[in-house]
Amino acid sequence: MTAPLQFLKKRDGVILLVLLAGCLLAMWGMHEDETALTLRISVDGNVVREVPLDSLSDGCVSLPEAEGVTLRVQDGAICVEEADCPDQRCVRMGWIDAPGEMIVCLPHRLLITLTAQTPNEPEVDVIVG
Amino acid sequence: MALLLLMAMLSGAGLSACAPKSSGSSANEAMEFFAMDTVVTIRQPSSDGSAERTRITELSNELDCYEEKSALSALNRNGGGTLSDSLSAIMSRTLALEERFGDAVQLSGGAITRLWGVTSDAPHVPTDAERLSALQTVGDDRIGLEGEQLTLPEGMRLDLGAVAKGYALDCLSADWTAAGYAYGVASFQSSTLLFGKKPDQSRFRVMIQDPDGDGYLGTVETDACFLSTSGGYERFFEADGTRYCHMFDLSTGMPTQSDLTSVTVFTDNGLKSDYLSTLIFLEGTAGLSKHLDAADYRIVAADQSGKLYVSPGLDFTESDA
């Protein structure tokens, strides 16, 4: 009686491992899907940059189209690090790293948005506040 | 048995992780533009967005009291005049709301908002004399309205900032209904229209930003509706270490000291959601209970200690810390 049980356990282990591997793969795929973000920067309604966020290396980004604004990219997120606008709203908005998030600087007419690269129905329809 | 269970669990997890997030194939691109002193985002698969942009830009040019060329600015300069259909609708609808909710939000606070200029390029703290003088001009009960004819008392200035975006969303909603559209989202950041049914038939998901940080207060799932958010963190300025909010206590002419940090209102019309989010914010926690129990709108509010207040009946999920 012990032999078949032991065999089962072995098979158990193999199936478990295979399933686990499959699961990890799936999660990895999902993770990659989540981080595949397009960064779009527009100034006064004109798109001046549209690139995959992960194509930018960590560090500062300055924009010839919006003088006085410095962006920072770090670990798949972006923020306005410095701006010479009076209200500093854009700086206070902090980091964005998810589809649908945006940073606005009204004085500079600057709009920084992140969208999912796969144009599915949006998971979140609107972010308010 | 254990094996079967494990297999079921694992394959379940694997499947859900692999499942596509939606089957929608429509280009669901959003268009964005600047109007009404904010960013407008339109998601409307049935149109290229140009009609919406024209509509909102026209309304903005009509209703913006900070734009010298607007119809509203002309009324303010001339002490009145003939109202356009939009101005007439906004005034009568807002005055009707004041009958029910009191005078915390008024249209005649323009002299106060202009004096402080919180949302202008040059905000400043006025002298007490300046403030008290501007305060004399506030009072919606003294607005003269005979049909389409508006008469403003000496010095009174209208500021429709608390309701104009919501009204614009009402107009868009009417346009989309007339065009027979099935779905759409229009947002002015602080005010949003969730129209019709999403192509995948799921409910709309709204995330509310945490006023005290980078994260979110939580997520609301809802059917089509209008919603507006008010919070002092959106627009303010600092002088001598004091933070001045863009919303005013019209009994003192001072920026509000509300103990709430964020209020979001969900209801069936845009002007009302706009009006109510400002009103509830100004009233603070002291006025919250009646709003939480209201039959015709739902709210999510947060106070300075981080406590959340959510209307029963609202499908709200709090974010993890």
Side-chain angles (χ1 to χ4, degrees), chain A residues 12 40 101 121 125 128, chain B residues 3 28 32 205 209 216:
Chain A
D12 249 11
R40 191 170 71 217
E101 290 191 316
E121 306 303 338
D125 296 282
V128 298
Chain B
L3 174 73
N28 212 337
E32 290 120 2
R205 281 167 59 88
Q209 280 179 343
Y216 296 92

Side-chain angles (χ1 to χ4, degrees), chain A residues 49-98:
Chain A
R49 288 294 162 84
E50 190 156 16
V51 292
L53 182 60
D54 57 13
S55 70
L56 300 173
S57 43
D58 289 358
C60 287
V61 181
S62 54
L63 298 162
E65 298 86 355
E67 273 183 50
V69 179
T70 308
L71 312 179
R72 177 168 282 280
V73 175
Q74 188 93 46
D75 303 326
I78 187 164
C79 73
V80 174
E81 186 170 67
E82 274 181 21
D84 57 1
C85 53
D87 63 3
Q88 296 292 299
R89 233 174 129 200
C90 50
V91 177
R92 287 201 314 273
M93 285 180 180
W95 294 94
I96 56 171
D97 62 1

Side-chain angles (χ1 to χ4, degrees), chain B residues 192-213:
Chain B
T192 299
L193 160 66
L194 301 174
F195 181 89
K197 268 231 172 271
K198 287 170 73 171
D200 65 2
Q201 302 298 306
S202 66
R203 301 180 86 199
F204 290 100
R205 281 167 59 88
V206 179
M207 283 177 80
I208 303 173
Q209 280 179 343
D210 184 346
D212 298 319

Side-chain angles (χ1 to χ4, degrees), chain A residues 12 16 26 40 89 92-93 95 101-102 104 106 109 111 113 121-129, chain B residues 3 22 24 28 32 34 37 39 41 43 189 198 204-209 216 229 233-236:
Chain A
D12 249 11
L16 255 171
R40 191 170 71 217
R89 233 174 129 200
R92 287 201 314 273
M93 285 180 180
W95 294 94
E101 290 191 316
M102 70 164 72
V104 183
L106 284 177
R109 312 285 275 177
L111 191 58
T113 56
E121 306 303 338
E123 284 236 318
V124 173
D125 296 282
V126 66
I127 296 172
V128 298
Chain B
L3 174 73
S22 91
N28 212 337
E32 290 120 2
F34 290 89
D37 204 23
V39 174
T41 306
R43 192 174 288 121
Q189 295 207 287
K198 287 170 73 171
F204 290 100
R205 281 167 59 88
V206 179
M207 283 177 80
I208 303 173
Q209 280 179 343
Y216 296 92
T229 301
Y233 56 96
E234 306 164 43
R235 310 292 291 269
F236 65 82

Side-chain angles (χ1 to χ4, degrees), chain B residues 28-92:
Chain B
N28 212 337
E29 291 280 314
M31 79 169 281
E32 290 120 2
F33 55 94
F34 290 89
M36 294 197 173
D37 204 23
T38 188
V39 174
V40 188
T41 306
I42 306 277
R43 192 174 288 121
Q44 179 47 267
S46 305
S47 99
D48 65 0
S50 56
E52 288 80 5
R53 185 177 187 148
T54 304
R55 173 71 134 155
I56 288 171
T57 307
E58 280 171 7
L59 284 169
S60 179
N61 292 340
E62 197 176 336
L63 307 174
D64 187 350
C65 66
Y66 296 100
E67 172 53 64
E68 288 303 316
K69 282 178 282 196
S70 73
L72 180 61
S73 289
L75 291 172
N76 280 334
R77 266 197 310 275
N78 304 333
T82 305
L83 293 176
S84 64
D85 290 349
S86 295
L87 280 163
S88 176
I90 290 178
M91 301 227 27
S92 59

Side-chain angles (χ1 to χ4, degrees), chain B residues 158-172:
Chain B
L158 301 180
D159 181 341
L160 308 181
V163 291
K165 297 182 183 78
Y167 176 76
L169 292 176
D170 285 329
C171 295
L172 264 196

Side-chain angles (χ1 to χ4, degrees), chain B residues 220-269:
Chain B
V220 173
E221 292 202 28
T222 174
D223 294 324
C225 70
F226 294 83
L227 59 125
S228 298
T229 301
S230 290
Y233 56 96
E234 306 164 43
R235 310 292 291 269
F236 65 82
F237 79 102
E238 280 173 332
D240 304 325
T242 305
R243 180 183 283 208
Y244 296 104
C245 174
H246 72 290
M247 284 174 281
F248 287 87
D249 178 342
L250 291 177
S251 63
T252 63
M254 293 292 291
T256 176
Q257 299 281 320
S258 174
D259 58 353
L260 290 173
T261 53
S262 168
V263 174
T264 303
V265 176
F266 299 77
T267 188
D268 60 357
N269 89 65

